């Protein structure tokens, strides 16, 4: 009787986890790279994480003499005070108006500019237009506001001189409440569209030229190639940037709005960042202004998480 022996299946060894802190690990072999990373990491910890310690004054009645730890707790008193404030509805409305307006107009502008630049056949003209559109980004906000005040002046402004030449009456742009958000948004587009187009141009450069060559052989026009090749190719980049923009919906630019404010347009120009500055630094209500800022950041955090979840389900592209 022949004895049948069972063959034992060889055991597959599990992958060995390499501890980076071992002497032969990756960390010890590339310690110089981590040394280069260390200053940036220290700056992030000092300027981004350590200040979070002061967020607790939003839940306290902060007294500089008692310090952060010695000030008494008041819970959500400052949050309730802001929500019940008579200025709450007006401030939130102004903030949402400028933010949504900027999102609808300012977000597509760099994308459209990048698509148009990508279709220019001449590299010389493309570089010239890129330089012209990038340049306003490096102008100071104070200088931008000064230029707006000069160009839109009702007496000596270039825009009003052009309107008078066309037969219209001069307009005091900075005194018109209904024009404030338009001036802010379109000046932002003029200043930041060229710089924002850099990311889209980088994404467009990753698209294979063979796709365009094949489409041209099939007789596709430039518009068809943009619609069926360029836009789908950079759609993941567009979605990621849209998530970032929606996540900072209530964080409108403080400097420009504050510099453009006056007594005639204050009803439409008072937003959450300017209100926090006036109440917190000028009024000395540190706990109240911190509570308003925390509430603003919480709303932005909820928005970015919600938009990220929607983007992941719809397009399978998300931040995490």
């Amino acid at each position: 009787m022949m004895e049948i022996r069972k063959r034992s299946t060889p055991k597959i060894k599990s992958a060995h986890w390499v501890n980076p802190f071992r002497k032969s690990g990756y960390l010890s072999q590339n310690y110089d790279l981590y040394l280069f990373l260390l200053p940036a990491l220290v700056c992030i910890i000092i300027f981004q994480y350590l200040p979070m310690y002061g967020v607790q004054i939003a839940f306290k009645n902060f007294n500089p003499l008692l310090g952060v730890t010695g000030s008494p707790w008041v819970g959500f008193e400052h949050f309730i005070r802001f929500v019940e404030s008579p200025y709450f509805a007006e401030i939130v409305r102004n903030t949402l108006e400028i933010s949504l307006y900027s999102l609808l107009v300012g977000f597509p502008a760099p994308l459209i500019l990048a698509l148009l630049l990508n279709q220019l056949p001449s590299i010389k003209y493309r570089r010239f237009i890129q330089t012209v559109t990038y340049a306003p980004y490096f102008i100071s906000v104070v200088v931008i506001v000064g230029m707006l005040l000069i160009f839109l002046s009702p007496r000596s402004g270039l825009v009003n001189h052009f309107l008078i030449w066309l037969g219209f009456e001069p307009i005091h742009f900075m005194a018109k409440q209904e024009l404030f958000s338009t001036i802010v948004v379109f000046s932002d587009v003029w200043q930041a569209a060229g710089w924002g187009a850099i990311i889209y141009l980088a994404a467009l450069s990753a698209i294979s030229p063979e796709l365009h060559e094949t489409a041209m052989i099939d007789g596709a026009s430039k518009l068809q190639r943009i619609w069926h090749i360029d836009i789908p190719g950079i759609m993941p980049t567009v979605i990621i940037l849209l998530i970032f923009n929606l996540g900072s919906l209530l964080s409108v630019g403080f400097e420009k709005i504050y510099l453009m404010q006056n007594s005639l347009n204050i009803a439409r120009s008072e937003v959450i960042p300017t209100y926090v500055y006036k109440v917190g630094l000028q009024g000395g209500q540190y706990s109240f202004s911190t509570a308003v800022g925390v509430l603003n950041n919480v709303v932005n955090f909820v928005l970015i998480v919600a938009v990220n979840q929607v983007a992941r389900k719809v397009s399978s592209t998300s931040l995490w």
Side-chain angles (χ1 to χ4, degrees), residues 217-276:
I217 294 174
D218 293 338
S221 62
K222 285 187 177 182
L223 186 59
Q224 290 174 333
R225 286 188 283 122
I226 291 174
W227 185 258
H228 295 286
I229 298 177
D230 289 339
I231 294 180
I234 63 173
M235 189 54 64
T237 305
V238 175
I239 293 174
I240 294 298
L241 293 178
L242 181 61
I243 293 173
F244 279 122
N245 279 269
L246 289 174
S248 58
L249 188 64
L250 298 181
S251 301
V252 294
F254 161 75
E255 296 88 355
K256 181 180 291 184
I257 293 177
Y258 181 74
L259 292 172
M260 292 175 59
Q261 277 184 349
N262 55 52
S263 58
L264 299 176
N265 61 24
I266 192 66
R268 298 290 291 272
S269 62
E270 189 73 286
V271 292
I272 293 178
T274 58
Y275 181 73
V276 170

Side-chain angles (χ1 to χ4, degrees), residues 308-317:
N308 184 76
Q309 295 296 326
V310 173
R312 189 199 305 178
K313 292 182 179 179
V314 173
S315 63
S316 70
T317 302

Side-chain angles (χ1 to χ4, degrees), residues 188-231:
D188 283 341
V189 171
W190 172 75
Q191 185 179 11
W195 182 260
I198 296 177
I199 299 177
Y200 296 117
L201 287 173
L204 287 169
S205 65
I207 298 176
S208 175
E210 296 178 356
L211 296 175
H212 287 278
E213 294 173 359
T214 305
M216 290 173 65
I217 294 174
D218 293 338
S221 62
K222 285 187 177 182
L223 186 59
Q224 290 174 333
R225 286 188 283 122
I226 291 174
W227 185 258
H228 295 286
I229 298 177
D230 289 339
I231 294 180

Side-chain angles (χ1 to χ4, degrees), residues 1-5:
M1 187 172 178
M2 187 180 293
E3 183 179 358
I4 301 175
R5 295 183 181 179

Side-chain angles (χ1 to χ4, degrees), residues 4-318:
I4 301 175
R5 295 183 181 179
K6 260 185 162 183
R7 291 187 180 179
S8 59
T9 56
K11 292 183 180 180
I12 301 174
K13 294 183 179 180
S14 58
H16 181 64
W17 178 74
V18 179
N19 186 358
F21 295 97
R22 289 177 56 184
K23 187 175 181 180
S24 59
Y26 181 84
L27 182 62
S28 60
Q29 295 176 2
N30 301 276
Y31 68 93
D32 50 347
L33 300 179
Y34 287 93
L35 288 179
F36 278 110
L37 183 64
L38 185 60
L41 184 62
V42 171
C43 288
I44 291 175
I45 293 174
I46 293 176
F47 295 105
Q48 300 293 333
Y49 285 94
L50 291 183
M52 291 182 182
Y53 171 79
V55 173
Q56 59 181 308
I57 69 175
F59 306 93
K60 292 186 173 186
N61 191 9
F62 178 68
N63 188 341
L65 298 178
L66 299 177
V68 176
T69 57
S71 301
W73 290 90
V74 294
F76 292 93
E77 178 181 335
H78 301 298
F79 296 91
I80 298 173
R81 177 186 164 194
F82 173 64
V83 174
E84 295 178 349
S85 170
Y87 304 104
F88 175 77
E90 179 180 311
I91 293 172
V92 174
R93 183 201 65 195
N94 295 338
T95 305
L96 288 176
E97 178 184 350
I98 297 177
S99 299
L100 292 176
Y101 196 176
S102 178
L103 184 66
L104 293 176
V105 177
F107 182 76
L111 175 59
I112 296 173
L113 179 61
L115 292 173
L116 294 176
L117 288 174
N118 191 56
Q119 293 299 320
L120 285 178
S122 175
I123 300 178
K124 179 181 178 181
Y125 289 125
R126 184 189 302 179
R127 290 176 178 175
F128 173 75
I129 296 175
Q130 285 179 348
T131 304
V132 172
T133 54
Y134 294 167
Y137 182 80
F138 301 98
I139 302 177
S140 171
V141 176
V142 178
V143 177
I144 292 291
V145 175
M147 294 169 59
L148 291 174
L149 294 176
I150 294 173
F151 291 153
L152 302 178
S153 173
R155 295 183 180 179
S156 59
L158 181 63
V159 177
N160 276 305
H161 277 298
F162 182 70
L163 292 176
I164 294 173
W165 181 72
L166 293 176
F168 296 98
E169 293 291 329
I171 301 174
H172 196 342
F173 289 94
M174 290 302 176
K176 296 285 186 179
Q177 298 181 6
E178 61 274 11
L179 296 178
F180 182 82
S181 57
T182 301
I183 296 173
V184 172
V185 170
F186 278 90
S187 61
D188 283 341
V189 171
W190 172 75
Q191 185 179 11
W195 182 260
I198 296 177
I199 299 177
Y200 296 117
L201 287 173
L204 287 169
S205 65
I207 298 176
S208 175
E210 296 178 356
L211 296 175
H212 287 278
E213 294 173 359
T214 305
M216 290 173 65
I217 294 174
D218 293 338
S221 62
K222 285 187 177 182
L223 186 59
Q224 290 174 333
R225 286 188 283 122
I226 291 174
W227 185 258
H228 295 286
I229 298 177
D230 289 339
I231 294 180
I234 63 173
M235 189 54 64
T237 305
V238 175
I239 293 174
I240 294 298
L241 293 178
L242 181 61
I243 293 173
F244 279 122
N245 279 269
L246 289 174
S248 58
L249 188 64
L250 298 181
S251 301
V252 294
F254 161 75
E255 296 88 355
K256 181 180 291 184
I257 293 177
Y258 181 74
L259 292 172
M260 292 175 59
Q261 277 184 349
N262 55 52
S263 58
L264 299 176
N265 61 24
I266 192 66
R268 298 290 291 272
S269 62
E270 189 73 286
V271 292
I272 293 178
T274 58
Y275 181 73
V276 170
Y277 171 76
K278 294 175 182 178
V279 173
L281 295 181
Q282 295 182 349
Q285 303 181 37
Y286 303 108
S287 294
F288 180 70
S289 62
T290 305
V292 177
V294 169
L295 184 62
N296 186 21
N297 291 329
V298 169
V299 173
N300 286 334
F301 176 75
V302 172
L303 282 174
I304 196 171
V305 171
V307 174
N308 184 76
Q309 295 296 326
V310 173
R312 189 199 305 178
K313 292 182 179 179
V314 173
S315 63
S316 70
T317 302
S318 59

